Amino acid sequence: MEPVAPAEPLEPLEPLEPLVPLDLTVVVPAYNEEHRLRPTLDAVRAYLRADPARWGDWELIVVDDGSTDGTAGVAAEAAAEEPRIRVVASDANHGKGHALRQGVLASRGRRVLVTDADLATPIDELDPLDKRLTADGGGAVIGSRAHPDARIEVRQLALREWLGRLGNRLIQRVAVAGVSDTQCGFKLFDGVQARAAFAESRLDGWGIDVEILRYFRRSGWPVTEVPVRWSHQPGSKVRPLDYVRVLVELVRLRAGRAPVGGTPVAGTGGGAGGGTGAGRGRGNLRRNRPHLRTDLAVAGLFLLLSLYLYNGLWTDLDHAYLRDAGADQDQWEWFFRVTADNVAHLRNPLFTTFQNYPDGVNLMANTAMFGLSVPLTPVTLAFGPHITWALVLTLGLAATAVSWYWLFARRLFPDRPSAGRWPAALGAGLAAFAPPMVSHATAHPNFCVLFMIPVIIDRALRLCERDARVVRDGVLLGLFATYQIFLGEEPLLIAAMGMVLFAPAYAVARPDVARVALRPLLRGTGIALLVCLPLLAFPLYWQFFGPQSYHSVLHGDNAGNSPLAFLEYSGRALFGNDETADALAMNRTEQNAFYGWPLIALAGGIVVWLWRLAVVRALAWTAAVAALLSLGPRIPVPFTDVVLPGPWRLLVHQPLFESVIESRVAMICAPVLGALLALAVERLRAGAGAEESGPEKVPAAGSAPTGSAATGSAATGSAGAGATAGLGAGLAAGRARNRLVGLLAVAAALIPIVPTAMPVREREEIPPFIAEGMYRSYVSEGETLVPVPLPEPGSAGALYWQSATGMGFSLPRGYFNGPAGEDRTGIYGAPARYTSNLWRDIRFGGEVPEIEARWRAQARFDLAHWKAGAVVLAPQPNDAALYDVLEKLFERPGKRIGGVWVWDLPPGWTTNTGATGTA
């Protein structure tokens, strides 16, 4: 990584007698703080004025960091009233680090206090910091919220506290050991030392605190923490994404060179001994993990990209809903919450009757993702399933990219670990953030959180090595596969298909390797099965033979990809649009191809260029067959009426494959294209491709001539050397030109499919009748609450009522996979009933039938099956028509309470009238 670029020189500040020192400078950075700034300035001014003998001559510098509200006016008004207040303005918003650097470098105080504009730490806490700075003889004294004697009067959200503690632990490990709270916005510095440190600083964001304290430590200046009072203030400018920005800045800080001669300053002053020891430790770490900085940088970039995708979700966790998720976000949050509830109450985690009462839901036969939902139970119970949902998507997607990066760096470039790091990162980014993965990242964490798949592939490859430890690797492969089953079975099946396609193709290309690998691979796979099957015996039995099990899932006749889908862009791609993608996909969560024609063309060119490599030929075969299978059992030829039989028809009715959505097989192409891209970029970067496929290497200029030139004169030899040098320079220029063209082609293929942020919408509010627990007076144990219309795959808002309020009641029907009919064919939701169909049709604009006795009898029958305790109608489109129907069904008006209409069903109201059951 290149060293961090030096900060741009500051604009000249107004002439304020720079040679006249003051006793104290207070620096307040401000960005859009028009409502909080003036009380802070008044409090600081009043405190310093109250004891002039104590604080002497002082100044207060407000740095307006490009605010777009009335902050500049508030600061100017205060400066007009108090001449010791100065305003420094930035032309745009650069970040906290830039603002502090401007303020401190403009300061004249012998001591410099920096404090946040919200004054979360009261200004009277300056006194203990000043006393400690005097005792230390200089350096930095920082307010600490983590000190045992600190007083936190108003706490921030638990999630913020957790992220803060996590960040501080990371900071201690990589930058400033022993400082437990680097980010508290209340710090007092020796003025001369502060100006020296900020003049050398490079970071413009929240990481500036770490950079400055690190500079003080390396310079041998004391850094001391002092406990302070602190209160969380509403309107904080720190967002969840900012924690990741600090992480990225830490990586930049670690990668940057030291300010003087490339060596730390810690050898001077009183910290020489400690500095030497720390240097030895860092040196050992670099020797043991020579690529740690690059690896951390790559991981940070992947996390930043993931947070960017879900920025809208994290900005308003309590109200944001992924726009294109359909009802899936409600369903997934429900899965996380019901699993946590089962674990907390020691119930069977594989089954529940909270949905589809009284028949229940087979959770093992659904995508409950026990591998994450069970260990994240404390998070779900403490913060809510919506936090678990956001964490699983964000961290899972980033972890998947890191896992592919680890696999590519390890397996594609084993003899070039340094040169292959960034090409592996580029390939991993494509594998994890390709259009199909981003499409599933809208609603299907089981298909985008795939961090175990590269680990499984790597363990299988280890079994192919000549010195494989078959027993150990076989056991681990079995354990890894078992865990992946509890993350997602269909992704594992699709990954296995990819490995089965790759293995014979590579064996044909490299029969020598295949002969060595076959026996240990088969033995290791057998051991893996012996480990895996006993662990999965009961869960799989429950899935396939337990209550509410089914044997397949119907997906319709259009589940294959259109050939055109591979050439177009997805709805979330930078160059894509929803209209084009919608016409070629089942829905916006199933855009399983959409790699774009430039990437397909680039991949074809890479295959032709690197065809001599066995791995490239095997990867090309894998991608081509996977793409063909994904077209489905019938392949429509674009722009014609011709339909051809597809190879998927051989698998469509086979066990396991009968439930697979065949278009998803094209997801195999994502890591394949990532691997091809990584191989190509590494060769472009090194210039090796041209050498390996081009003419023989030319001797270096000045080398001893051979052949007939050896008998010639010195002049002849000199001329030959000059000619050789010219030819070598020409070849080098040609390679540079080819490298540039190749990298431009890579950019042209990738830029159009760069994912854009997930759009969000406002989530519907939970009625007070549910949120405040009023329903408890109407629903007894063994009864259900019946919302109108009932939850189903297209509309499952009632599941959110459950999951967000603690699973206090059961619901009929719902959104899940379950059986239908005597053959137990899998469907989405519960089998239809007349009353549920009636309500659904009216809700979505259908004709309202005349409500006669037979409809009332049918309603009694269906409500009796559902064990209904109360029927609830919440505000929604067509609610007037629904109310009219319900009033006629129950022959009485509803009761308005807690924002909904309620019909209480007393015991005995629902009786079996001989009406029919399912519709």
Side-chain angles (χ1 to χ4, degrees):
M1 180 178 289
E2 294 295 326
V4 180
E8 297 180 1
L10 296 171
E11 294 293 330
L13 300 172
E14 52 184 324
L16 288 168
E17 302 176 346
L19 298 180
V20 178
L22 302 174
D23 296 294
L24 176 68
T25 297
V26 179
V27 176
V28 180
Y31 174 67
N32 288 349
E33 295 284 2
E34 64 175 336
H35 300 299
R36 302 193 297 184
L37 181 60
R38 187 54 191 259
T40 294
L41 299 181
D42 290 342
V44 173
R45 181 176 62 173
Y47 179 79
L48 298 178
R49 275 181 168 181
D51 195 353
R54 174 80 168 84
W55 303 114
D57 296 327
W58 55 269
E59 64 178 349
L60 199 165
I61 298 177
V62 179
V63 184
D64 175 21
D65 190 31
S67 299
T68 57
D69 62 356
T71 298
V74 172
E77 180 182 356
E81 299 173 6
E82 172 56 71
R84 287 175 288 189
I85 295 179
R86 291 199 284 140
V87 181
V88 176
S90 293
D91 56 346
N93 176 233
H94 298 287
K96 177 185 176 182
H98 184 273
L100 286 179
R101 183 162 48 246
Q102 278 195 305
V104 172
L105 294 182
S107 69
R108 295 176 292 163
R110 294 186 179 91
R111 298 187 176 186
V112 176
L113 173 72
V114 295
T115 182
D116 291 339
D118 60 3
L119 214 62
T121 300
I123 186 61
D124 55 9
E125 293 294 316
L126 172 60
D127 183 68
L129 267 67
D130 183 73
K131 292 177 179 177
R132 185 54 189 259
L133 189 66
T134 301
D136 289 345
V141 179
I142 61 178
S144 175
R145 298 161 295 183
H147 194 283
D149 297 328
R151 286 180 291 167
I152 308 300
E153 297 177 343
V154 178
R155 307 195 76 87
Q156 55 188 333
L157 293 176
L159 178 62
R160 286 182 180 274
E161 287 194 359
W162 180 79
L163 288 172
R165 287 194 294 270
L166 182 64
N168 279 321
R169 291 193 187 100
L170 179 62
I171 288 168
Q172 290 187 63
R173 292 183 65 89
V174 304
V176 189
V179 178
S180 57
D181 188 1
T182 60
Q183 303 306 111
C184 180
F186 199 79
K187 299 179 176 68
L188 184 65
F189 301 96
D190 176 276
V192 174
Q193 295 169 347
R195 285 182 280 275
F198 278 88
E200 291 289 341
S201 66
R202 300 292 181 266
L203 300 182
D204 287 340
W206 301 96
I208 186 71
D209 302 276
V210 181
E211 183 180 22
I212 295 303
L213 296 179
R214 186 170 180 258
Y215 185 97
F216 270 64
R217 279 283 180 83
R218 287 191 164 194
S219 300
W221 302 331
V223 175
T224 308
E225 289 185 272
V226 170
V228 294
R229 287 186 294 124
W230 187 87
S231 299
H232 174 67
Q233 303 295 323
S236 171
K237 297 298 185 294
V238 182
R239 296 289 181 261
L241 192 60
D242 293 324
Y243 293 95
V244 181
R245 293 193 178 104
V246 172
L247 173 62
V248 173
E249 290 187 330
L250 283 177
V251 173
R252 293 178 60 202
L253 186 61
R254 291 280 293 180
R257 293 188 175 91
V260 181
T263 57
V265 193
T268 63
T276 304
R280 280 198 301 269
R282 287 192 294 271
N284 291 334
L285 182 61
R286 292 192 194 98
R287 286 191 293 272
N288 295 333
R289 299 288 301 277
H291 310 295
L292 180 61
R293 288 179 177 175
T294 303
D295 296 344
L296 287 175
V298 169
L301 289 173
F302 287 147
L303 182 57
L304 190 61
L305 178 55
S306 187
L307 277 165
Y308 160 72
L309 289 180
Y310 296 110
N311 184 46
L313 195 62
W314 283 102
T315 300
D316 190 3
L317 285 168
D318 291 333
H319 302 98
Y321 191 97
L322 294 177
R323 187 197 68 187
D324 296 333
D328 287 10
Q329 181 170 338
D330 288 327
Q331 182 196 45
W332 276 98
E333 290 179 5
W334 186 89
F335 281 144
F336 291 136
R337 187 61 179 84
V338 78
T339 301
D341 193 77
N342 281 339
V343 171
H345 293 89
L346 301 180
R347 292 193 294 262
N348 178 7
L350 308 182
F351 188 77
T352 184
T353 55
F354 276 114
Q355 194 177 169
N356 195 38
Y357 194 90
D359 298 322
V361 176
N362 187 326
L363 292 174
M364 188 63 198
N366 282 265
T367 54
M369 235 176 160
F370 294 119
L372 290 177
S373 59
V374 171
L376 288 175
T377 289
V379 175
T380 302
L381 295 177
F383 305 110
H386 61 299
I387 300 296
T388 306
W389 162 255
L391 284 173
V392 166
L393 286 174
T394 307
L395 299 182
L397 198 57
T400 301
V402 171
S403 190
W404 284 118
Y405 164 71
W406 169 79
L407 178 69
F408 289 168
R410 175 183 175 83
R411 292 294 173 180
L412 296 180
F413 314 109
D415 55 344
R416 301 184 299 280
S418 297
R421 235 58 184 182
W422 286 108
L426 188 63
L430 177 58
F433 294 96
M437 305 304 175
V438 173
S439 172
H440 283 279
T442 301
H444 302 153
N446 57 321
F447 269 97
C448 67
V449 181
L450 303 174
F451 56 85
M452 286 304 300
I453 298 299
V455 177
I456 291 171
I457 294 172
D458 177 75
R459 194 56 53 174
L461 291 174
R462 290 194 187 198
L463 287 169
C464 300
E465 296 172 354
R466 188 180 299 272
D467 56 347
R469 299 173 63 179
V470 175
V471 174
R472 183 202 66 175
D473 292 334
V475 169
L476 289 175
L477 179 61
L479 293 175
F480 294 159
T482 300
Y483 182 60
Q484 175 58 44
I485 293 256
F486 290 113
L487 292 176
E489 296 172 64
E490 190 175 344
L492 179 60
L493 176 62
I494 293 175
M497 291 175 61
M499 289 187 278
V500 168
L501 291 174
F502 178 86
Y506 193 79
V508 169
R510 291 293 304 273
D512 56 327
V513 174
R515 283 192 295 270
V516 173
L518 182 60
R519 185 183 296 273
L521 179 60
L522 292 177
R523 285 182 58 211
T525 304
I527 293 171
L529 289 173
L530 290 176
V531 171
C532 193
L533 292 179
L535 296 173
L536 294 171
F538 179 74
L540 292 180
Y541 167 81
W542 189 277
Q543 174 179 344
F544 293 106
F545 303 103
Q548 290 299 102
S549 59
Y550 53 89
H551 67 78
S552 66
V553 179
L554 299 177
H555 299 297
D557 296 330
N558 63 336
N561 285 315
S562 164
L564 295 177
F566 285 89
L567 305 178
E568 294 289 351
Y569 300 124
S570 71
R572 293 275 61 77
L574 184 62
F575 283 20
N577 63 79
D578 289 325
E579 291 73 21
T580 301
D582 289 346
L584 296 171
M586 292 176 62
N587 55 63
R588 292 182 181 178
T589 68
E590 295 289 349
Q591 296 175 0
N592 293 312
F594 297 91
Y595 293 100
W597 66 265
L599 181 58
I600 299 299
L602 176 67
I606 292 172
V607 170
V608 172
W609 177 38
L610 301 178
W611 182 255
R612 67 191 180 281
L613 299 179
V615 66
V616 170
R617 298 199 295 275
L619 289 170
W621 164 263
T622 303
V625 176
L628 187 61
L629 287 171
S630 78
L631 300 179
R634 293 180 299 278
I635 305 173
V637 179
F639 312 115
T640 72
D641 295 328
V642 177
V643 178
L644 303 175
W648 185 257
R649 64 195 176 107
L650 302 175
L651 300 173
V652 67
H653 297 301
Q654 301 305 315
L656 300 181
F657 293 97
E658 61 188 357
S659 296
V660 173
I661 297 177
E662 54 264 34
S663 65
R664 293 174 175 174
V665 179
M667 298 173 73
I668 293 173
C669 299
V672 169
L673 292 172
L676 290 172
L677 183 68
L679 289 167
V681 169
E682 192 278 332
R683 278 158 176 74
L684 285 172
R685 184 180 180 186
E691 291 180 3
E692 292 172 6
S693 59
E696 294 181 359
K697 296 181 182 180
V698 179
S703 59
T706 59
S708 60
T711 62
S713 64
T716 304
S718 176
T724 301
L727 180 58
L731 287 176
R735 293 194 193 105
R737 191 162 50 248
N738 292 340
R739 184 184 302 117
L740 177 61
V741 171
L743 293 177
L744 288 175
V746 170
L750 294 183
I751 289 174
I753 61 171
V754 168
T756 57
M758 301 286 187
V760 298
R761 62 172 173 82
E762 186 77 11
R763 195 165 207 167
E764 296 178 2
E765 293 292 336
I766 300 175
F769 179 77
I770 303 295
E772 298 175 14
M774 301 177 189
Y775 67 85
R776 294 189 179 92
S777 302
Y778 296 85
V779 179
S780 304
E781 186 175 355
E783 293 182 333
T784 64
L785 185 144
V786 180
V788 178
L790 286 157
E792 58 184 20
S795 176
L799 301 186
Y800 173 54
W801 295 2
Q802 275 184 312
S803 63
T805 58
M807 310 300 288
F809 55 89
S810 293
L811 291 170
R813 300 180 61 78
Y815 183 14
F816 58 94
N817 290 124
E822 295 182 358
D823 61 353
R824 304 187 69 77
T825 298
I827 63 171
Y828 291 93
R833 302 186 76 87
Y834 286 102
T835 304
S836 60
N837 281 356
L838 171 67
W839 293 342
R840 181 200 61 204
D841 292 345
I842 295 172
R843 161 62 178 83
F844 292 103
E847 182 179 351
V848 179
E850 183 179 350
I851 302 301
E852 302 172 341
R854 63 187 182 90
W855 275 113
R856 296 188 185 96
Q858 184 66 53
R860 286 175 178 265
F861 181 83
D862 291 338
L863 289 165
H865 173 76
W866 295 326
K867 314 294 184 188
V871 176
V872 175
L873 176 64
Q876 59 191 290
N878 291 333
D879 54 3
L882 285 168
Y883 178 89
D884 183 58
V885 168
L886 291 169
E887 190 175 49
K888 292 176 181 178
L889 284 175
F890 298 122
E891 298 182 290
R892 57 189 168 93
K895 180 180 179 182
R896 185 72 175 179
I897 179 173
V900 300
W901 291 103
V902 180
W903 283 265
D904 189 15
L905 303 182
W909 184 87
T910 55
T911 59
N912 193 330
T913 62
T916 55
T918 57

